[in-house]
């Protein structure tokens, strides 16, 4: 099978956009009918693929598949043949699920770029009228919450139809340039240009995949740290201003928390958790990247704790460097796993706070170690340099 009219796929195009254009070019006004026809042809070719392709445009992308995700990949490969495309073209523009995480958020992938699932827009997908005038297709970056302005034309994206006021969402309307009321978005005169740092070729080059994945992790961390929503109108300008003064502003924040803790101390520091003072900063570093290395926030936090231990040496009375830390956070500082931290405890590299009940040792979120001793072990192993993903121990 080949489509009567085969159209070009753009490297920065959303998968759903391509199927809309393909359906309209081949005489289908209802995308559901087009997808049902495709599904019928695919199941004739391979009986195992019956039902693998969703008949709903909103469920078409691969990250929306459930138990049939592997079959849907096979179905997409057949569609590449129908569309007369090069192998893996459609897979490269599809959004895929992964087994990796940015903290508690599942990492999705497109063109080898990882980004947290919370970053995808659901209800509104804005457009740039100038982009549509040049090439009538949906750019995938418009799906991402931090993108409020067109990276190419530096104008604000259009979120609502000027005619009827409804939210713009081409997946719901099944039309790229027209609102459901019939208004043509290409007629819109955009607002004045504003500066935007995101590159227009966001997903066009595989060479930038690792760099972009780290950038998206930084977006997520900044959103949680600063309280600025990912879809805030000025998220990227605020992000850029913050990181233009990195790491001084972050270190200033950490030292402010330190001063407050000393000023308002109500218990001995060897009975206070690190998280009571620095507000889950260690756990939040997991938002930056999907692995234990190349984490610029964790690097700065580890260096700060090293400096803290140096400024508050061991003495007769407990000080702020003697605060308590749990196994999960210790694993972050040591760039290793919780299992290996437990093994370090068994081998005598770490010791627990006096009086900790045995059952608490098996609960990784209970603070049982002294921050000072974890930091000293970190320095002894060299893991604060981000060079070691696994601890070195006798076993």
């Amino acid at each position: 099978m080949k489509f009567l009219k085969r159209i070009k796929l753009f490297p920065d195009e959303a998968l759903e956009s391509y199927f809309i254009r393909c359906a309209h070019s081949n005489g289908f006004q209802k995308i559901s009918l087009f997808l049902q026809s495709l599904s019928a042809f695919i199941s004739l070719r391979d009986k195992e693929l019956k039902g693998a392709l969703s008949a709903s445009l909103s469920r078409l992308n691969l990250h929306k598949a459930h138990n049939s995700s592997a079959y849907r990949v096979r179905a997409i490969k057949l569609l590449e043949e129908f569309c007369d495309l090069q192998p893996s073209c459609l897979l490269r523009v599809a959004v895929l699920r992964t087994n990796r995480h940015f903290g508690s958020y599942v990492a999705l992938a497109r063109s080898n770029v990882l980004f947290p699932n919370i970053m995808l827009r659901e209800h509104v997908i804005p457009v740039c009228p100038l982009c549509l005038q040049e090439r009538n297709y949906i750019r995938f970056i418009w799906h991402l919450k931090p993108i409020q302005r067109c990276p190419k034309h530096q104008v604000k994206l259009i979120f609502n139809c000027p005619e009827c006021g409804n939210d713009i969402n081409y997946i719901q309307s099944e039309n790229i340039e027209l609102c459901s009321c019939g208004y043509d978005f290409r007629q819109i005169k955009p607002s004045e240009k504003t500066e935007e740092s995101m590159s227009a070729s966001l997903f066009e080059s595989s060479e930038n995949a690792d760099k972009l994945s780290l950038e998206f992790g930084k977006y997520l961390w900044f959103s949680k740290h600063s309280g600025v929503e990912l879809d805030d109108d000025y998220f990227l300008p605020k992000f850029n201003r913050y990181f233009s003064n990195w790491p001084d502003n972050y270190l200033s924040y950490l030292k402010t928390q330190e001063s407050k803790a000393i000023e308002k101390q109500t218990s001995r520091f060897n009975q206070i958790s690190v998280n009571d003072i620095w507000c889950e900063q260690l756990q939040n570093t997991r938002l930056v990247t999907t692995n234990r290395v190349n984490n610029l926030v964790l690097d700065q936090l580890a260096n700060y704790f090293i400096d803290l231990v140096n400024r508050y040496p061991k003495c007769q009375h407990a000080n702020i460097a003697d605060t308590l830390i749990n196994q999960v956070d210790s694993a972050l500082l040591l760039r290793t796993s919780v299992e290996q931290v437990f093994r370090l405890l068994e081998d005598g590299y770490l010791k627990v706070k006096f009086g900790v009940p045995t059952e608490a040792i098996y609960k990784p979120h209970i603070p049982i170690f002294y921050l000072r001793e974890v930091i000293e072990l970190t320095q002894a192993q060299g893991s604060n340099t981000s060079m070691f993903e696994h601890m070195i121990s006798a076993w």
Side-chain angles (χ1 to χ4, degrees):
M1 173 187 170
K2 297 283 185 182
F3 292 135
L4 293 176
K5 189 170 182 180
R6 296 180 286 278
I7 59 174
K8 178 183 177 181
L9 172 67
F10 297 97
D12 61 339
E13 183 170 12
L15 181 69
E16 296 87 348
S17 167
Y18 179 76
F19 276 93
I20 289 175
R21 294 195 302 118
C22 200
H24 290 173
S25 297
N26 285 276
F28 288 87
Q29 294 304 312
K30 282 282 188 181
I31 308 302
S32 57
L33 293 177
F34 176 68
L35 293 176
Q36 287 171 12
S37 300
L38 286 180
S39 185
F41 276 111
I42 288 171
S43 58
L44 286 174
R45 184 82 171 262
D46 188 336
K47 292 182 180 179
E48 286 187 331
L49 299 184
K50 185 177 181 180
L53 192 69
S54 174
S56 170
L57 188 64
S58 63
R59 304 292 306 175
L60 176 66
N61 224 309
L62 271 75
H63 72 291
K64 295 293 184 69
H66 294 296
N67 297 330
S68 61
S69 56
Y71 288 140
R72 190 169 295 188
V73 170
R74 196 192 306 173
I76 290 291
K77 289 180 178 179
L78 281 178
L79 291 177
E80 291 171 345
E81 180 184 328
F82 298 163
C83 300
D84 200 24
L85 296 172
Q86 293 295 318
S88 299
C89 275
L90 288 178
L91 286 177
R92 276 196 292 272
V93 302
V95 178
L96 310 173
R97 284 202 306 267
T98 74
N99 60 359
R100 301 170 75 176
H101 292 78
F102 290 89
S104 60
Y105 298 98
V106 173
L108 301 178
R110 185 187 184 278
S111 300
N112 295 322
V113 176
L114 297 175
F115 58 93
N117 60 346
I118 194 177
M119 206 164 280
L120 276 182
R121 290 187 167 111
E122 296 180 2
H123 306 296
V124 184
I125 302 172
V127 298
C128 171
L130 299 179
C131 285
L132 293 180
Q133 290 171 19
E134 294 175 358
R135 298 271 189 180
N136 198 28
Y137 68 92
I138 299 296
R139 282 65 170 170
F140 176 74
I141 54 174
W142 300 343
H143 282 255
L144 302 177
K145 291 179 181 178
I147 308 300
Q148 299 286 324
R149 293 160 182 78
C150 174
K152 182 177 182 180
H153 298 104
Q154 306 297 322
V155 296
K156 186 168 173 56
L157 298 178
I158 307 302
F159 286 77
N160 304 95
C161 173
E163 187 72 19
C164 65
N166 289 335
D167 293 338
I168 295 175
N169 188 329
Y170 76 100
I171 293 177
Q172 292 180 1
S173 66
E174 298 187 348
N175 206 306
I176 291 170
E177 75 280 2
L178 298 179
C179 178
S180 55
C181 72
Y183 185 85
D184 192 329
F185 301 134
R186 292 171 296 187
Q187 300 176 16
I188 299 174
K189 185 178 179 180
S191 59
E192 294 182 0
K193 292 185 178 182
T194 54
E195 291 187 4
E196 183 75 25
S197 66
M198 184 67 75
S199 170
S201 58
L202 183 62
F203 285 97
E204 293 181 7
S205 174
S206 58
E207 297 176 359
N208 296 328
D210 290 341
K211 181 179 178 181
L212 287 169
S213 299
L214 288 171
E215 193 75 357
F216 286 132
K218 286 167 61 179
Y219 288 169
L220 181 60
W221 176 84
F222 174 71
S223 174
K224 298 301 180 183
H225 177 72
S226 65
V228 180
E229 296 295 333
L230 288 165
D231 54 0
D232 185 282
D233 280 353
Y234 296 98
F235 176 85
L236 281 178
K238 291 176 181 178
F239 171 87
N240 291 332
R241 282 196 299 272
Y242 183 86
F243 275 94
S244 67
N245 195 32
W246 178 267
D248 293 347
N249 45 10
Y250 184 55
L251 294 175
S252 176
Y253 166 80
L254 296 175
K255 289 180 179 178
T256 298
Q257 296 300 107
E258 172 190 328
S259 299
K260 287 180 179 178
I262 294 173
E263 181 183 345
K264 300 178 180 180
Q265 181 186 357
T266 56
S267 303
R268 288 184 295 177
F269 278 117
N270 59 3
Q271 296 178 347
I272 299 174
S273 167
V274 165
N275 289 328
D276 291 335
I277 299 174
W278 289 282
C279 307
E280 309 293 336
Q281 286 302 305
L282 275 162
Q283 280 301 297
N284 286 344
T285 64
R286 297 173 62 240
L287 301 170
V288 179
T289 179
T290 58
N291 55 52
R292 298 188 187 103
V293 296
N294 297 325
N295 190 324
L296 82 168
V297 178
L298 182 55
D299 290 345
Q300 292 301 325
L301 188 56
N303 289 334
Y304 165 76
F305 283 140
I306 290 171
D307 177 66
L308 183 79
V309 169
N310 290 336
R311 287 187 286 113
Y312 295 91
K314 183 75 172 178
C315 60
Q316 185 176 359
H317 300 287
N319 58 48
I320 196 168
D322 297 307
T323 48
L324 300 175
I325 185 170
N326 61 42
Q327 295 182 61
V328 173
D329 290 343
S330 297
L332 285 167
L333 283 172
L334 293 165
R335 306 299 207 279
T336 189
S337 65
V338 174
E339 291 76 16
Q340 288 195 20
V341 169
F342 185 77
R343 201 55 193 274
L344 289 169
L345 171 62
E346 287 188 323
D347 288 350
Y349 285 83
L350 287 169
K351 59 184 180 182
V352 300
K353 172 182 177 289
F354 177 78
V356 170
T358 304
E359 59 270 19
I361 296 174
Y362 297 95
K363 298 178 180 179
H365 290 283
I366 294 180
I368 60 173
F369 300 132
Y370 293 109
L371 174 64
R372 180 188 308 281
E373 295 182 1
V374 172
I375 290 299
E376 289 171 345
L377 182 58
T378 299
Q379 291 180 284
Q381 296 288 349
S383 55
N384 62 301
T385 61
S386 301
M387 294 177 62
F388 297 93
E389 192 167 346
H390 299 283
M391 286 295 298
I392 303 168
S393 71
W395 52 276

